[in-house]
Amino acid sequence: MSIDGLFSRNEPVLPVRGVHLDLKGTPPTPGRLERLLEVFSALRYNAVLVEWEDSFPWSVEGSFRSETAYTVEQVEAFHAAAGRLGLEVIPLVQCLGHMETPLAGEAYAPLRERPWQAGVLNPLAPGARELVERMVEDVLARSPGVRHFHLGGDEAWSFASHPDTRAYVEQHGKGALYLHHVEPILDALIGRGIRPILWHDMMREWDAPALARLAQKADLCVWGYHGHPDTTKGHWATAIIQRFADAGVRMWGATAYKGATGPSADRPNVELHRVNATAWAEVAQRFGMAGVFATAWSRYSTHNLHSELIDASLDTLALVAGILHDGAAPADGLDAALAVLDALGEREGFEACRSACEELAEARKGGWYFVQAVRELVVMATLDARRRTGSPLMVQWRNLRRHVDRADRAGDALRHALAGRVEPLWVDRYLAERIEPLREEAAALAPRIRLLDPAGWQAEHEMP
């Protein structure tokens, strides 16, 4: 099957099919990043929503950069490659929620909505808007020809909890506070011929006048990664979309190809993404949306665990590409996606990553099962001395150790599969988050087991 075997239509059902690069977790090496652009283009995506986060070479503040942040030259090469491939680059810089990258440092702590939480910006704090403006300007300086700019703005969980912001909302409303903060930023982008985009969830309770005012200044991207907007009770329900449409808001949709299964998942749920992407392709056409993004969260938030790896999720990347282009999954389903990866020379590397991640997931699942089993048996044996010797304790302890060893082997396989694709630093941290907790549990349990069943312990450790 050729690359075109994934698609049955000559013309796409959606004008813009964007793919998301969330670079705050396991970012690709520079070479792999450019290669991914080629893969995206071959899969008929025509836009890239790039969330640089701590991978950007910030000049605003050096502490915003991670240990492996891209250089200015590498960012310029990324944009040049995207231009050659006909991919529109849409940068994303957070403006309200998910502000951990700048707000984690003490220098910017006065800008937090809550002093003890680094996630949400206090929009009334002196210098708050100016920080966002400087970050936007920093990214624009390295982003030639930008036509859209995403300002995030979602999941500001503690919005209006500061005494100052709470008083403002009580007098003027949530929409007024939000617009007080972002409107000058929106106006500056519009003045440069750039259309702003914001995530939709913070606006779902706004009144009609506030929505109508926003509609003049920005598009809303409605996101929801499970099920269908027509049947969900979540914040992406069709009734909410209809309210935005009635207010004249130009909209985008957002499905996902990875990063929606769990904050520390190792592999995407293929069926979940098939169903959700198909729903968004239909809803986007129904409401005349500008396009749909296939998001790909590498962390649920900046201070959260690493989530699914790009290179272990290329099958869903391809499957969602076919759905957003044709409006439905290819007749051969996932087989068509795998055949396309084969044609692109990506299948072998993908399958190595997928296999290692699936094995790691199984080892983790089994390991935590046996942590629970061993802890329960330890308590039983502690309470009742008659139930120590000859209990299943040593059997379950052996199973726990076996699963830690299994996870280590899967980790070695994943390191090998990701060589040259992700810097070793991030692979090591990804694996540490998954394996070290099990290892620590085993180490904490060992002294108690040895005390409760010394004969069994000795026999276990003398076994070949």
Side-chain angles (χ1 to χ4, degrees):
M1 181 182 290
S2 69
I3 293 173
D4 291 340
L6 186 64
F7 311 101
S8 62
R9 297 176 61 100
N10 292 327
E11 296 296 325
V13 298
L14 300 176
V16 180
R17 295 143 339 264
V19 61
H20 178 218
L21 277 172
D22 177 16
L23 299 173
K24 61 180 176 285
T26 52
T29 59
R32 184 58 180 163
L33 186 65
E34 289 195 36
R35 170 57 185 159
L36 285 171
L37 292 178
E38 296 173 355
V39 173
F40 298 159
S41 177
L43 294 173
R44 301 193 187 178
Y45 290 104
N46 57 2
V48 180
L49 178 64
V50 57
E51 191 163 354
W52 293 104
E53 280 284 345
D54 56 355
S55 290
F56 192 75
W58 297 103
S59 62
V60 172
E61 176 67 62
S63 65
F64 295 175
R65 304 177 201 161
S66 75
E67 298 92 325
T68 63
Y70 301 116
T71 65
V72 169
E73 292 74 19
Q74 288 163 348
V75 170
E76 290 173 347
F78 170 87
H79 280 277
R84 289 193 301 272
L85 293 164
L87 292 165
E88 178 186 358
V89 176
I90 303 174
L92 191 157
V93 172
Q94 295 288 352
C95 70
L96 188 63
H98 294 297
M99 289 286 287
E100 294 91 347
T101 290
L103 297 185
E106 287 304 311
Y108 294 94
L111 304 185
R112 299 172 184 169
E113 183 81 28
R114 290 176 173 167
W116 62 92
Q117 292 179 342
V120 179
L121 190 73
N122 175 352
L124 296 181
R129 185 192 301 126
E130 289 76 10
L131 170 63
V132 176
E133 289 170 340
R134 294 202 310 275
M135 294 176 71
V136 169
E137 188 60 39
D138 209 352
V139 170
L140 281 176
R142 305 296 175 192
S143 307
V146 169
R147 293 188 287 126
H148 296 90
F149 197 104
H150 203 309
L151 287 165
D154 61 316
E155 296 186 328
W157 305 121
S158 59
F159 183 66
S161 62
H162 187 281
D164 293 344
T165 54
R166 185 166 59 249
Y168 191 101
V169 165
E170 288 172 355
Q171 184 173 359
H172 303 287
K174 287 186 176 181
L177 176 59
Y178 197 108
L179 288 167
H180 170 81
H181 174 58
V182 302
E183 202 162 21
I185 307 170
L186 305 179
D187 288 340
L189 288 169
I190 292 168
R192 299 170 75 156
I194 300 169
R195 182 66 178 178
I197 305 172
L198 291 158
W199 297 121
H200 84 290
D201 53 286
M202 295 296 292
M203 296 79 170
R204 63 188 188 274
E205 296 178 356
W206 284 19
D207 58 30
L211 286 175
R213 180 175 164 190
L214 178 67
Q216 303 303 312
K217 304 292 180 77
D219 299 347
L220 289 184
C221 186
V222 185
W223 60 274
Y225 308 136
H226 299 257
H228 196 295
D230 287 353
T231 56
T232 186
K233 295 181 180 179
H235 58 73
W236 61 101
T238 302
I240 293 171
I241 298 173
Q242 186 65 59
R243 283 193 66 239
F244 294 153
D246 292 344
V249 175
R250 182 175 185 255
M251 287 179 286
W252 304 65
T255 183
Y257 82 83
K258 79 174 192 74
T261 306
S264 66
D266 291 300
R267 271 279 296 158
N269 181 323
V270 176
E271 182 62 9
L272 178 151
H273 294 304
R274 183 195 67 79
V275 169
N276 185 249
T278 304
W280 275 114
E282 187 273 316
V283 169
Q285 293 176 79
R286 190 195 315 171
F287 284 92
M289 292 182 175
V292 174
F293 295 111
T295 62
W297 302 103
S298 296
R299 298 183 192 267
Y300 277 23
S301 64
T302 305
H303 288 174
N304 217 318
L305 302 170
H306 291 85
S307 192
E308 302 146 24
L309 299 161
I310 294 173
D311 279 295
S313 309
L314 296 182
D315 54 345
T316 49
L317 170 73
L319 184 67
V320 170
I323 293 169
L324 297 186
H325 185 277
D326 286 359
D332 292 337
L334 201 57
D335 288 341
L338 294 174
V340 167
L341 295 181
D342 198 19
L344 291 172
E346 290 288 333
R347 183 166 181 169
E348 183 178 356
F350 157 70
E351 289 185 337
C353 290
R354 179 186 63 182
S355 176
C357 284
E358 288 177 345
E359 179 67 8
L360 179 60
E362 287 298 312
R364 293 172 64 204
K365 180 180 178 181
W368 285 111
Y369 172 85
F370 289 113
V371 165
Q372 177 180 339
V374 172
R375 284 201 171 275
E376 290 169 347
L377 288 167
V378 163
V379 170
M380 179 198 73
T382 301
L383 294 172
D384 189 344
R386 298 172 302 168
R387 306 189 189 279
R388 296 177 186 176
T389 305
S391 77
L393 182 57
M394 294 310 303
V395 174
Q396 303 295 51
W397 167 246
R398 189 182 308 125
N399 284 330
L400 172 55
R401 291 171 54 207
R402 179 168 56 85
H403 277 79
V404 173
D405 291 342
R406 182 183 178 187
D408 280 333
R409 291 192 298 273
D412 290 341
L414 189 59
R415 286 188 182 92
H416 180 75
L418 289 173
R421 296 168 181 248
V422 177
E423 295 290 352
L425 168 72
W426 299 116
V427 181
D428 288 345
R429 291 185 182 177
Y430 179 93
L431 292 171
E433 291 169 3
R434 285 153 170 74
I435 302 173
E436 285 306 309
L438 286 172
R439 204 186 313 280
E440 290 175 3
E441 288 284 346
L445 285 164
R448 296 188 68 183
I449 296 169
R450 186 173 187 175
L451 181 64
L452 289 167
D453 190 359
W457 180 272
Q458 183 175 357
E460 172 72 17
H461 289 80
E462 287 177 354
M463 289 177 64

